[in-house]
Amino acid sequence: MKFTIKAKLILATIVQLSAALVVFYIGNNNAYQLNKKIDEIIKVNTQRINLSAKIAEDVQFITKREKDLILSKDREVLMDLVKQVDARTEDMENRYAELKDISDEKGVEILDNFQLRWSEYTSSFAKIKSLSMGVKNDSTEQLAYEISSTTARQKALEAVTIVSQIVRKNEKALEAANLETNALYESGERLMWIILGVSLLVATVLAFWIIITITSSIHKAMSAIKAVSEGDLTVNIESTNKDEIGDLLEYLKDMIVKLKEVITFVSTAADQIAAASEQMSSSSQQMSQGSTEQAASTEEVSSSMEEMVSNIQQNTENAQATEKIAIKASDDIREGSHSVNETVQSMKLIANKISIISEIARQTNLLALNAAVEAARAGEHGKGFAVVAAEVRKLAERSQVAATEINTLSSSSVETAVTSGRLLVEIVPNIQKTASLVQEIAAASIEQNSGASQVNSAIQQLNLVVQSNAATSEEMSASAEELANQASELREAIIFFNVGNNLGKKSRRKVKPRKKKPEVSEHMIAAKSKKSSGVVLDMDVDDDSDEEYEQF
Amino acid sequence: MDQFREDYVEDAKDLINSLEQALLQLESSPDNPELIEEVFRIMHTLKGTAAMFGFDVISELTHELETIYDMIRNGELALSTEIVNITLDCSDLLKDLLESEDNPELMLRVQTAHEKIKKITNGTVIEDNKQDVVIFGEEKKEGDQPTYYILFKPDNDIFLSGNNPFFQLEDLTALGETKVVTHFSEVPGLTEIDPELCYTFWEIYLTTKESVKAIEDVFLFVQARCFLKIHKLSEANLLVDSQFLHAVESDEFILESPTTEAVEAHVEYINQFLNTLEPSAVETVIEAPQPEIEITQPKVEVKNVAPKETTKRKEIGGIKSVKIATNKLDNLMNLVSELVITQARLNLYTEQNNTPELLEISENIEKISRQLRDSTFDLCLIPIDEIVVQFKRLVRDLAHELNKEIEFITLGTQTALDKTIIERITDPIMHLLRNSLDHGIELPEEREAKGKNKQGKITLDAFYSGTYVHIKISDDGKGIDKNKIKAKAIEKGLIPRDAVLTDKETYDLIFLPGFSTAKEVTEVSGRGVGMDVVKRKIAEIRGDVLIESEVDKGTSFTIKLPLTLSIIDGLLVKVGDTFFIIPLSFIEKCHEIEAKKLQTVFNNSVVLDGEKIPFFNLREQFNILDEAPAVQQIITVNYEGTKVGFVVDSVVDEYQAVLKPLGKMYQDLDIISGGTILGDGTVALVIDTGKAIEHFTKNLTQA
Amino acid sequence: MINDTIITQSFLSFSLGGEIFAANVAKVKEILEVTKLTKVPKSPDYLKGVINLRGTVLPVIDTRVKFGFPETEDTVDTCIIVLTLVIDGDEVSVGALVDTVSEVFETNSEEILPPVSIGNKFRSDFIEGLIKLDDQFIMLLDVDKVFTDEELLVVKETGEETTI
């Protein structure tokens, strides 16, 4: 049976609680007895005293009114007085009844005695009353007064005395009660003190027992955890206790075993990672180098491509210019042919006009003849004119001849012009064909140009990709380095744990890849190494690695 | 200047001719002062114009001659045969001088002429060059200033426009003598008066030589701002008439109010008043002095001589007519014809070239040239009026001579005829009138016995009928006795004894040569050379004479004349490429006919409109050799009451042809009455249908 | 016309069928180009027709026919000489169609040779005379006679008479 700390603590608590309960019961009982006594005192005795006092008061009131009755002559006052007395009498009788109820036997005796006295007074009062109420005269008054001062006063005094007896009696009872309560209190106090002492003793014993058992177990666990915290996983934990602490140690033991296992695995993995990252770093360095070379050659290709494009462009432009020239030439020739046609037309027109001139010359000739006739008919007077007419006629003839010559000339010119026009017209289609061929060349060149541009842009894109590849591989190399670093750091961290085997040998190899860093990213690496240098203390600490570095 | 000299020479020749005529007349009646006046006037004109154009010799010579006649005119010298002879010599000399002034031989003659004249005038010559005689007596005598009535009422606000009506009044006063009546009737009371407004108006009686225009000009600037009325009261100066002045001054003429109606009534009143004045004044009002156009040339008659008692003439202000040499008119006519032809060519050319602007111009020219042609034709048309006067005189004189009482009525005297026709119709009409007077109208006693009005009646009625003018001369005389004519014709052997004649044929007998029905040959008619000449003369101008008569009722001769000689309304047709014109007046109808049909017809006749009509193919007849078109036109013409067809290639158009003679070379060719020039300048030939038909028929019978 | 006194006369020469003729300019009114001619039916052959001479109708004589030359086509040089003839005392204008009009020349009356009828194919009464000009004989025509006479210029043995 396992006696756990819990059980121990529950036990101790139960003991304490039961002691407290006993004390409470006793205290409470005493208090109850006291309360009962006090209630009695207050409810009965005090009431009796109170009522008695009131009855006494009533009696005095009534006697007083009795005197007023006698003195008063006014009927109404009388009546009022009577009423007052009657009402007071009633109240007094009620009180009397009440008092009789709460009175003990002795008290009732006294009360009966009082009753007796009171009734006597009452009869006296009645006499007085009737006297006062009847026809009042000095006699009556005298009589009444007599009665009142004799019998009535006596009886009243007696009644009051009896009542005071009651008060006295009850005051005595009160004093007895006080004594009784005092005794009660003293007995209760004694009992409670005893019980308190016993329970204190028990509690102390229990506490000592519990503290001793718990402390020893915790101590054992503490020492084991401390060893683990210091990295010593070799600590041996022996648990004897069957309480919770014992369990705890048991689990701790398990944990150390697991931890030992994990650390051994991590250590191996870190070694492996270090190796892999080393390898990766080297290959990515290689890749980066290749990428760089690739980028360079792409650049070269691109530039030569551009050169080609520009050449093609030049070609295109030349072709276009040629085409324009060809078209212009064709147009010019057409224009020329048109001009020749116009020339032909003009020449024809000239021929036409010349025929008009010829006609005019002919008509002039005729006119001159007419003039000559006219002149001849005028005889002597017309002589001069006849000469002129003859001259005109000659001129007309000459101009006709000239016109004919011009006509022949112009018709031959027309022929020439027509021929040249025809030739020109024949040239036009050839030139047009040339123009169209050149046009085709130009179109092809333009197409070529656009193709080359496309190729060029593709190469540019490739170049970009290559460059980004180079960068990526560099980054990768850096990452690999970083990874190796991390792995080594991991290893460093794991070394902290003592699992009791050769973890340290592997850790020395991991530093090697650092020397195979690619030149491209040297700065980066350097920067990184600088950064990390502050953190990884064992770089400087580890002498072996430094030596190896120098040997390279 | 040469042109003017030429004109002068022509005028001068005319003048000299007139001079000669006048001189010859003067010889027979030396006391006729009118003739002397005429000679003097001609001399004066010759002198003036000769000096103007530098014919100094002529000027000198005529001056001296003028002096002689001035002296005769003034009674200082008696006209003698010697003077006439000298003058005639001089006129010959003047003619020669006009040809060449520098000829020394002529100068010699001038010298002798001078001497001869000097001899006559010697000692008695008092040169008086001052008096000018104006040919067209337009100058008005002193005091012949017309009187005007002017109402001038300026608008109330005339002052506001910066005008002062007094200026107008002043200007009027400057024009001539005035009598101004000022009216204050419109001036309001003193309380209502606006000192800036004009309330006054004036009546002005003005005598002035100036025209109404001059008076109106005075009011030029206030025209829009006044109420103005100008009335001519009289041709005479009324302001020298005391009666009139008195009437004006004594408020006899009171203008009721300045309104148009009132003014008209007022003027009417004044006129009435004037009528009550002495008759001389009245006459001047009614009859304005008429400028007489002197006739110096027996060419175109533009005579205005009309007996005052029978004709009232319109007032002639200025020169209303001019005389023109006929050859000039003919020339104008020819030129216009040329123009019309050229214009037609222009039209043709324009249509071919289709240039809108040119087209417009050409159309314009067409319009104008047509108007010009019409006006020119019009120029050559002269109203019968011009010759009627002669007839009237003739009738009166003859009636007087024959002791017959005649009422001569002329109707339609404004009917115009070509001048050549007028010239050539005068004699025939004269003859017909004579005939009517002599043979037609009976003696008054005879008429009374017959129960007719004692006064015989001859009517000359001229009227248009299509392109013809009819002149109808009718009398209410004894008419023509057909039997008598027939008997006489038989007697004279003009017709066979047994001839049966229609009325028309009978009447036409009197036109036969050597026929005269009057038993006694009178001085006036009846020589038997009248009617045939009449007929021939009328026929010469393409006219005709118709006779209608009824015994004891009267006779009427109707002369049917073409409007002009030179214009024929015809149908332009084409045969081959020759154009012909068939006078429209003969044409009945045009039909279309296929050439094939014509070749197969029998007896050269076709049935058209259900009528068998003989026809002639102009192509065959005229030896036009080229191929006939498939469809031809057949034109039926009226030939002496029957229809005859002419086959032509095509009908081109209706055409108003200006007839031109073909000339002597073709004088024997009577089937062509002439040629006319078409729009394109080619000549179309006018066919004389009657002659042609006769000719063709002759050919046919010969064949 | 041939007087004893030496009178200078002007002539218009023209050719017709290779021969050269001349007419006294006094008879020549003007020279015209050939215009549209209207043939007049029923007229002699030598009357070629009528033309419009500024608004008047001018008859034109085909001189070739009249002179007995064969008919040929008109050329640009063909002209109409407007002659003033005297027929029955009246002046009449007539056009004469000739091949070419050459010139107006002057000559003294003494240079005019009398016409020779022998060996000449033309009727001598139509020829006024001959003139030798530049090695060529020019026949001076009596235009009044030539153109008013209905006879042909050429002498024919059994000439058909032209009638109307």
Side-chain angles (χ1 to χ4, degrees):
Chain A
M1 194 204 141
K2 209 165 88 176
F3 198 70
T4 62
I5 296 167
K6 190 164 81 183
K8 284 173 193 165
L9 285 173
I10 289 166
L11 182 66
T13 313
I14 287 167
V15 171
Q16 300 246 334
L17 279 173
S18 48
L21 276 172
V22 171
V23 171
F24 173 74
Y25 176 74
I26 295 164
N28 198 29
N29 202 32
N30 257 353
Y32 178 73
Q33 289 293 325
L34 280 170
N35 192 32
K36 210 168 156 192
K37 257 322 176 203
I38 289 161
D39 266 356
E40 201 178 44
I41 293 161
I42 291 164
K43 271 181 188 163
V44 180
N45 296 4
T46 317
Q47 191 72 2
R48 281 172 195 162
I49 290 165
N50 205 10
L51 283 172
S52 306
K54 278 222 180 131
I55 290 168
E57 206 178 311
D58 292 335
V59 171
Q60 277 174 342
F61 183 84
I62 292 165
T63 53
K64 212 175 173 191
R65 291 299 169 272
E66 178 210 88
K67 308 302 184 245
D68 290 337
L69 261 177
I70 301 162
L71 291 171
S72 275
K73 280 171 185 157
D74 192 355
R75 190 95 183 146
E76 277 188 27
V77 176
L78 285 173
M79 285 300 284
D80 190 49
L81 284 171
V82 171
K83 268 185 190 171
Q84 280 181 16
V85 171
D86 285 351
R88 201 69 183 247
T89 310
E90 211 173 323
D91 287 346
M92 200 189 73
E93 275 168 8
N94 285 344
R95 279 180 197 118
Y96 174 75
E98 202 180 322
L99 189 59
K100 209 177 178 177
D101 285 344
I102 56 170
S103 295
D104 50 19
E105 288 160 25
K106 210 180 171 187
V108 173
E109 269 178 42
I110 303 163
L111 279 172
D112 287 344
N113 206 1
F114 173 77
Q115 187 82 31
L116 196 64
R117 296 320 171 251
W118 181 250
S119 42
E120 285 167 11
Y121 173 74
T122 319
S123 53
S124 334
F125 182 75
K127 278 173 199 169
I128 301 164
K129 187 185 163 184
S130 58
L131 283 170
S132 309
M133 291 297 282
V135 186
K136 237 171 192 187
N137 47 31
D138 293 338
S139 61
T140 53
E141 266 179 42
Q142 197 66 41
L143 185 54
Y145 183 71
E146 271 181 37
I147 303 164
S148 136
S149 49
T150 59
T151 50
R153 193 194 253 186
Q154 202 175 342
K155 294 303 169 191
L157 265 166
E158 282 172 21
V160 171
T161 318
I162 299 163
V163 171
S164 359
Q165 272 177 343
I166 299 166
V167 172
R168 253 176 273 136
K169 182 196 156 217
N170 275 303
E171 276 170 354
K172 273 176 204 167
L174 277 173
E175 212 151 315
N178 190 25
L179 286 174
E180 205 175 326
T181 50
N182 280 348
L184 258 172
Y185 172 71
E186 272 166 22
S187 68
E189 197 181 31
R190 244 177 344 255
L191 188 58
M192 278 203 300
W193 276 112
I194 294 157
I195 294 163
L196 183 67
V198 172
S199 61
L200 270 175
L201 190 69
V202 172
T204 314
V205 172
L206 273 172
F208 269 103
W209 179 61
I210 289 166
I211 287 163
I212 288 159
T213 53
I214 289 169
T215 313
S216 70
S217 299
I218 284 174
H219 206 337
K220 255 185 219 169
M222 213 165 63
S223 65
I225 288 166
K226 200 192 172 202
V228 170
S229 77
E230 280 167 357
D232 187 4
L233 295 178
T234 54
V235 70
N236 199 10
I237 297 163
E238 297 277 325
S239 170
T240 52
N241 300 29
K242 297 229 190 303
D243 57 2
E244 283 97 335
I245 306 289
D247 288 347
L248 184 78
L249 285 174
E250 209 54 41
Y251 290 138
L252 187 65
K253 200 172 158 188
D254 286 353
M255 192 185 84
I256 288 166
V257 171
K258 269 282 181 228
L259 204 60
K260 218 192 276 180
E261 267 172 44
V262 166
I263 285 170
T264 314
F265 181 75
V266 166
S267 170
T268 328
D271 279 346
Q272 276 167 350
I273 287 169
S277 61
E278 196 177 326
Q279 212 163 341
M280 196 167 88
S281 171
S282 83
S283 55
S284 41
Q285 267 173 20
Q286 234 167 318
M287 199 161 98
S288 165
Q289 210 160 348
S291 290
T292 313
E293 270 166 54
Q294 201 179 7
S297 32
T298 327
E299 203 89 34
E300 233 168 287
V301 170
S302 167
S303 79
S304 31
M305 205 64 205
E306 253 160 39
E307 211 169 313
M308 192 168 92
V309 165
S310 83
N311 281 341
I312 290 168
Q313 220 145 12
Q314 185 71 33
N315 259 9
T316 315
E317 272 162 29
N318 288 345
Q320 274 167 340
T322 315
E323 185 204 340
K324 268 180 204 149
I325 290 164
I327 286 169
K328 179 117 200 327
S330 144
D331 282 351
D332 285 351
I333 285 168
R334 209 169 298 151
E335 187 79 14
S337 137
H338 190 241
S339 300
V340 168
N341 276 346
E342 267 176 27
T343 312
V344 169
Q345 287 304 316
S346 303
M347 279 179 170
K348 277 177 186 166
L349 210 64
I350 288 169
N352 198 17
K353 297 283 178 210
I354 283 167
S355 70
I356 292 171
I357 290 173
S358 165
E359 178 70 20
I360 289 167
R362 210 172 48 71
Q363 281 176 354
T364 311
N365 190 13
L366 205 64
L367 207 63
L369 267 173
N370 271 321
V373 169
E374 211 58 54
R377 278 168 48 169
E380 207 58 41
H381 298 287
K383 270 251 166 72
F385 190 67
V387 176
V388 175
E391 285 298 318
V392 171
R393 211 175 68 79
K394 270 179 207 155
L395 280 176
E397 255 168 19
R398 270 168 61 192
S399 46
Q400 198 161 2
V401 169
T404 318
E405 273 170 27
I406 292 170
N407 222 353
T408 0
L409 272 176
S410 67
S411 33
S412 76
S413 308
V414 163
E415 225 165 275
T416 319
V418 167
T419 317
S420 57
R422 201 188 59 236
L423 286 175
L424 278 179
V425 168
E426 274 167 22
I427 290 170
V428 168
N430 287 336
I431 288 181
Q432 265 169 339
K433 192 161 187 198
T434 311
S436 76
L437 283 176
V438 171
Q439 213 165 359
E440 269 171 60
I441 291 171
S445 290
I446 287 168
E447 234 170 292
Q448 213 175 358
N449 191 14
S450 80
S453 297
Q454 265 171 316
V455 170
N456 196 18
S457 77
I459 287 167
Q460 299 277 356
Q461 228 165 321
L462 188 69
N463 194 12
L464 275 184
V465 171
V466 167
Q467 264 170 11
S468 84
N469 266 8
T472 313
S473 52
E474 264 173 44
E475 253 170 72
M476 208 158 80
S477 159
S479 302
E481 199 97 1
E482 183 71 22
L483 196 61
N485 250 10
Q486 300 280 338
S488 112
E489 268 170 46
L490 191 63
R491 275 180 66 88
E492 299 292 334
I494 285 170
I495 283 166
F496 172 73
F497 292 105
N498 180 12
V499 285
N501 51 19
N502 50 348
L503 281 168
K505 279 180 188 170
K506 279 177 183 173
S507 75
R508 261 159 225 150
R509 276 162 59 190
K510 75 180 171 190
V511 195
K512 281 179 190 169
R514 269 185 210 165
K515 288 135 206 177
K516 286 179 184 171
K517 278 176 204 163
E519 291 102 296
V520 203
S521 49
E522 222 160 356
H523 306 287
M524 272 167 68
I525 302 295
K528 277 184 182 174
S529 61
K530 267 180 194 169
K531 262 190 200 168
S532 51
S533 63
V535 185
V536 189
L537 294 166
D538 43 344
M539 269 171 78
D540 304 321
V541 176
D542 202 44
D543 292 354
D544 290 5
S545 57
D546 284 347
E547 279 167 2
E548 274 174 333
Y549 183 75
E550 281 177 358
Q551 276 170 358
F552 247 90
Chain B
M1 196 61 195
D2 279 351
Q3 181 61 46
F4 293 132
R5 278 176 77 108
E6 238 166 67
D7 288 347
Y8 163 72
V9 169
E10 199 152 300
D11 282 350
K13 279 181 182 168
D14 286 343
L15 282 169
I16 293 163
N17 282 338
S18 313
L19 177 68
E20 281 173 0
Q21 257 181 359
L23 283 170
L24 289 173
Q25 282 177 6
L26 198 60
E27 207 168 18
S28 54
S29 54
D31 301 328
N32 191 336
E34 275 178 30
L35 285 169
I36 294 167
E37 195 67 47
E38 166 104 17
V39 172
F40 173 79
R41 199 181 47 72
I42 292 168
M43 288 297 182
H44 184 81
T45 313
L46 271 173
K47 181 189 82 173
T49 44
M52 206 191 314
F53 292 103
F55 292 91
D56 295 333
V57 185
I58 295 173
S59 177
E60 265 172 56
L61 193 63
T62 46
H63 174 71
E64 281 171 17
L65 284 169
E66 186 194 338
T67 316
I68 297 174
Y69 285 91
D70 191 36
M71 286 162 80
I72 295 168
R73 202 173 61 153
N74 297 335
E76 292 165 27
L77 203 70
L79 185 75
S80 64
T81 331
E82 194 194 358
I83 294 175
V84 175
N85 284 341
I86 291 170
T87 323
L88 281 171
D89 284 348
C90 284
S91 67
D92 288 341
L93 181 55
L94 285 173
K95 273 191 212 167
D96 292 340
L97 280 170
L98 283 171
E99 293 295 321
S100 54
E101 222 183 11
D102 305 329
N103 198 318
E105 189 198 345
L106 285 176
M107 290 320 285
L108 209 71
R109 283 169 62 190
V110 169
Q111 202 64 42
T112 49
H114 272 297
E115 279 164 19
K116 280 181 188 170
I117 293 164
K118 283 251 172 68
K119 226 183 269 173
I120 292 165
T121 55
N122 207 11
T124 50
V125 177
I126 302 157
E127 288 209 14
D128 187 5
N129 272 336
K130 277 186 181 171
Q131 191 165 5
D132 263 337
V133 178
V134 178
I135 304 162
F136 298 100
E138 283 210 285
E139 195 185 326
K140 283 162 188 155
K141 284 177 200 158
E142 203 67 34
D144 256 358
Q145 297 179 351
T147 308
Y148 297 92
Y149 167 81
I150 301 154
L151 176 80
F152 175 41
K153 182 188 183 298
D155 289 355
N156 280 353
D157 56 355
I158 186 130
F159 297 130
L160 301 180
S161 65
N163 283 301
N164 184 349
F166 279 111
F167 294 154
Q168 272 72 43
L169 293 176
E170 264 173 39
D171 287 350
L172 276 185
T173 319
L175 284 179
E177 203 178 331
T178 53
K179 183 83 202 159
V180 181
V181 180
T182 314
H183 287 262
F184 301 106
S185 59
E186 302 231 330
V187 180
L190 203 60
T191 47
E192 291 150 350
I193 202 161
D194 185 344
E196 289 189 358
L197 297 183
C198 174
Y199 298 99
T200 329
F201 65 96
W202 293 269
E203 281 179 282
I204 303 114
Y205 299 91
L206 167 74
T207 62
T208 178
K209 284 183 196 168
E210 303 294 337
S211 64
V212 178
K213 181 84 173 59
I215 300 169
E216 279 170 353
D217 283 350
V218 169
F219 296 97
L220 192 65
F221 297 108
V222 290
Q223 254 170 359
R225 295 181 177 278
C226 73
F227 178 77
L228 180 71
K229 286 284 158 193
I230 301 170
H231 285 273
K232 193 178 196 176
L233 290 176
S234 165
E235 289 293 341
N237 183 356
L238 293 173
L239 294 184
V240 296
D241 189 312
S242 56
Q243 261 182 290
F244 181 78
L245 273 182
H246 184 258
V248 171
E249 278 164 5
S250 64
D251 287 342
E252 192 156 318
F253 310 136
I254 295 168
L255 185 66
E256 284 162 20
S257 60
T259 61
T260 312
E261 292 84 356
V263 168
E264 266 160 19
H266 186 61
V267 171
E268 182 66 25
Y269 179 74
I270 294 171
N271 278 333
Q272 277 172 17
F273 173 83
L274 290 173
N275 287 342
T276 64
L277 293 180
E278 62 253 67
S280 66
V282 182
E283 213 170 14
T284 49
V285 175
I286 293 167
E287 254 183 78
Q290 279 180 20
E292 278 205 347
I293 294 173
E294 297 289 334
I295 294 98
T296 55
Q297 214 182 342
K299 282 186 176 176
V300 185
E301 292 280 51
V302 203
K303 242 181 188 169
N304 280 335
V305 194
K308 282 199 173 174
E309 61 269 27
T310 50
T311 27
K312 277 190 179 179
R313 293 211 155 255
K314 286 176 199 164
E315 263 185 67
I316 294 168
I319 301 164
K320 284 259 171 141
S321 55
V322 289
K323 64 183 173 65
I324 297 161
T326 5
N327 56 355
K328 284 185 183 172
L329 260 187
D330 289 341
N331 211 1
L332 178 64
M333 214 36 222
N334 273 338
L335 286 173
V336 168
S337 303
E338 273 288 288
L339 176 69
V340 170
I341 289 158
T342 316
Q343 182 274 319
R345 281 178 66 186
L346 175 67
N347 247 16
L348 213 69
Y349 173 78
T350 313
E351 272 164 35
Q352 282 162 2
N353 283 273
N354 201 15
T355 317
E357 280 167 48
L358 189 61
L359 202 71
E360 199 195 312
I361 295 167
S362 141
E363 274 169 9
N364 243 337
I365 292 177
E366 185 180 4
K367 210 159 47 186
I368 293 164
S369 50
R370 189 172 298 142
Q371 283 173 357
L372 182 62
R373 190 191 63 186
D374 292 348
S375 311
T376 316
F377 283 160
D378 233 39
L379 274 187
C380 301
L381 293 181
I382 294 167
I384 296 182
D385 208 15
E386 306 290 338
I387 49 171
V388 157
V389 179
Q390 302 173 40
F391 303 151
K392 282 181 173 168
R393 180 153 283 166
L394 174 95
V395 169
R396 204 175 55 170
D397 294 351
L398 255 172
H400 188 70
E401 202 177 310
L402 295 169
N403 291 319
K404 289 180 181 174
E405 285 176 41
I406 307 290
E407 189 196 1
F408 184 47
I409 298 163
T410 54
L411 296 168
T413 51
Q414 287 305 308
T415 311
L417 274 166
D418 191 283
K419 64 176 174 54
T420 45
I421 295 175
I422 289 273
E423 275 166 19
R424 293 158 82 167
I425 202 68
T426 315
D427 285 349
I429 292 175
M430 286 270 209
H431 196 92
L432 287 173
L433 283 172
R434 262 191 220 120
N435 217 53
S436 288
L437 264 163
D438 198 6
H439 306 305
I441 304 289
E442 309 92 330
L443 287 166
E445 306 83 58
E446 216 173 311
R447 287 183 67 88
E448 275 185 324
K450 281 183 185 171
K452 289 191 198 170
N453 193 333
K454 207 167 77 181
Q455 197 178 35
K457 195 163 87 179
I458 296 177
T459 313
L460 188 140
D461 187 6
F463 53 91
Y464 292 106
S465 171
T467 54
Y468 287 88
V469 169
H470 290 235
I471 300 172
K472 191 173 175 186
I473 298 153
S474 45
D475 61 64
D476 61 347
K478 54 189 173 200
I480 299 168
D481 191 340
K482 282 178 279 189
N483 295 330
K484 269 191 195 169
I485 294 170
K486 218 169 159 185
K488 190 167 181 187
I490 294 164
E491 180 197 317
K492 294 219 169 185
L494 296 169
I495 51 164
R497 207 161 276 275
D498 54 350
V500 181
L501 300 169
T502 62
D503 282 4
K504 188 180 181 297
E505 283 167 330
T506 314
Y507 290 137
D508 282 345
L509 288 174
I510 61 171
F511 291 122
L512 291 173
F515 190 97
S516 179
T517 53
K519 296 246 169 63
E520 294 159 43
V521 174
T522 65
E523 195 196 333
V524 186
S525 58
R527 286 189 201 92
V529 286
M531 294 311 261
D532 61 322
V533 177
V534 167
K535 174 84 174 176
R536 202 186 68 226
K537 283 210 163 184
I538 288 171
E540 269 177 16
I541 48 176
R542 299 207 315 274
D544 200 5
V545 192
L546 302 171
I547 303 169
E548 283 169 89
S549 183
E550 203 174 324
V551 176
D552 285 339
K553 284 277 166 69
T555 314
S556 74
F557 294 90
T558 307
I559 304 169
K560 190 181 163 196
L561 295 166
L563 256 182
T564 79
L565 274 185
S566 51
I567 296 175
I568 290 176
D569 266 324
L571 201 65
L572 185 65
V573 299
K574 201 175 181 186
V575 182
D577 51 6
T578 312
F579 289 98
F580 293 96
I581 283 171
I582 300 170
L584 216 52
S585 51
F586 292 101
I587 292 175
E588 295 272 327
K589 207 171 179 183
C590 298
H591 298 270
E592 217 169 63
I593 196 154
E594 281 175 48
K596 280 188 287 183
K597 273 188 187 169
L598 294 173
Q599 284 157 8
T600 55
V601 292
F602 171 73
N603 201 16
N604 251 21
S605 52
V606 287
V607 176
L608 294 168
D609 294 341
E611 221 179 319
K612 196 173 172 191
I613 292 168
F615 73 89
F616 297 105
N617 195 336
L618 292 188
R619 180 178 293 278
E620 288 166 20
Q621 295 294 336
F622 289 163
N623 259 338
I624 293 162
L625 297 172
D626 56 0
E627 192 67 25
V631 177
Q632 287 181 299
Q633 302 278 333
I634 183 159
I635 295 162
T636 52
V637 299
N638 193 335
Y639 174 65
E640 291 179 347
T642 59
K643 284 183 188 171
V644 177
F646 281 162
V647 177
V648 299
D649 286 0
S650 59
V651 173
V652 181
D653 204 358
E654 208 182 304
Y655 193 82
Q656 214 179 42
V658 180
L659 195 66
K660 310 265 178 185
L662 286 190
K664 280 262 178 191
M665 300 298 285
Y666 292 99
Q667 59 186 335
D668 298 328
L669 189 72
D670 53 358
I671 58 166
I672 303 294
S673 52
T676 189
I677 289 147
L678 298 180
D680 62 352
T682 52
V683 179
L685 302 169
V686 182
I687 298 172
D688 185 330
T689 49
K691 296 273 165 54
I693 290 164
E694 279 165 29
H695 184 85
F696 299 152
T697 323
K698 206 165 75 192
N699 277 5
L700 214 63
T701 48
Q702 276 170 3
Chain C
M1 290 296 275
I2 303 157
N3 293 333
D4 291 338
T5 47
I6 298 163
I7 298 169
T8 313
Q9 282 180 304
S10 295
F11 292 91
L12 177 73
S13 63
F14 56 90
S15 70
L16 195 68
E19 306 274 349
I20 297 173
F21 298 92
N24 195 323
V25 286
K27 290 282 171 190
V28 179
K29 225 175 177 179
E30 61 183 306
I31 302 151
L32 301 173
E33 285 183 64
V34 178
T35 56
K36 200 178 169 195
L37 200 132
T38 304
K39 282 193 173 115
V40 181
K42 305 278 177 185
S43 57
D45 285 346
Y46 67 86
L47 283 175
K48 183 108 182 181
V50 289
I51 59 161
N52 162 28
L53 172 63
R54 288 189 297 277
T56 57
V57 178
L58 181 81
V60 176
I61 292 167
D62 192 345
T63 322
R64 289 177 155 276
V65 177
K66 186 88 182 171
F67 288 6
F69 292 118
E71 268 191 88
T72 53
E73 282 292 305
D74 290 350
T75 67
V76 283
D77 292 323
T78 309
C79 285
I80 296 170
I81 301 174
V82 182
L83 299 163
T84 312
L85 309 180
V86 179
I87 303 174
D88 304 334
D90 288 334
E91 278 203 348
V92 175
S93 288
V94 161
L97 210 63
V98 299
D99 285 357
T100 41
V101 178
S102 312
E103 59 177 331
V104 177
F105 63 92
E106 285 185 346
T107 184
N108 293 327
S109 53
E110 59 180 6
E111 285 173 34
I112 300 172
L113 309 169
V116 271
S117 52
I118 306 133
N120 198 324
K121 57 181 172 176
F122 302 114
R123 275 172 55 163
S124 57
D125 51 339
F126 286 178
I127 310 289
E128 265 183 348
L130 289 170
I131 299 167
K132 201 179 176 221
L133 195 76
D134 304 333
D135 295 336
Q136 250 194 318
F137 279 105
I138 297 171
M139 279 170 273
L140 301 182
L141 290 177
D142 183 348
V143 282
D144 278 332
K145 249 186 192 166
V146 173
F147 293 109
T148 52
D149 204 307
E150 282 170 18
E151 290 298 314
L152 296 184
L153 182 72
V154 70
V155 186
K156 284 186 183 173
E157 294 90 68
T158 50
E160 294 161 48
E161 268 192 300
T162 37
T163 49
I164 305 167

